[in-house]
Amino acid sequence: MDRSTEIELMRLLNGELPPERARELERRLGSEPELAKGYRRLRERWEGLALPPPRPVPLGFTGRVMAHVEGAAREGSTLSWSLAPTWVRAAAAAALVGGVALGAGLGLLPARHNDAPPGASAIGAIGAMGERVPLADSYWSMFEDETGGEARP
């Protein structure tokens, strides 16, 4: 099964295909056993992604947490970054710097041209020839590179 067929099966599973395309694919599933087997396998994996049922909170957990909070309040402790482990503070600082850099980088992207087709994304990539490539196209091209240029859906 090629990548584009697999993507179409995922879209069928999620109800994202147009009705006529979904009917056509369902007819193929009835006539092609190998395709039907792949769809069943995909559906089983998808349904297996459900979260396990929630477990009850262990006995005494709430009491232990409240005792800790009350003890910290008696000592005069307040919630502050100094109480956080060093790695948490470093990760927060890195996220902040990365967010600022990303925001600054997005501000440098050229504005959308008025001659762009309706519905064209303002965010995209710049192609090898300097042309603007919509974000979705640049996303699919990553898969095409990995699969040797198979057609996308």
Side-chain angles (χ1 to χ4, degrees), residues 4-88:
S4 62
T5 304
E6 188 174 331
I7 290 170
E8 281 203 322
L9 289 176
M10 285 189 274
R11 288 180 175 170
L12 176 67
L13 182 64
N14 293 323
E16 298 172 352
L17 281 180
E20 65 277 353
R21 184 65 188 129
R23 281 190 296 274
E24 179 184 325
L25 194 53
E26 287 169 352
R27 276 194 296 273
R28 281 186 59 198
L29 288 171
S31 63
E32 298 178 31
E34 194 63 33
L35 186 63
K37 180 180 174 184
Y39 182 68
R40 278 193 305 275
R41 194 172 46 242
L42 179 65
R43 188 178 62 230
E44 289 167 2
R45 288 180 183 157
W46 180 257
E47 291 169 354
L49 293 175
L51 293 174
R55 296 185 345 196
V57 176
L59 290 175
F61 177 75
T62 305
R64 289 192 305 269
V65 169
M66 289 307 297
H68 181 73
V69 169
E70 289 168 356
R74 277 193 298 271
E75 294 172 8
S77 295
T78 59
L79 186 60
S80 75
W81 279 103
S82 63
L83 298 176
T86 305
W87 71 269
V88 171

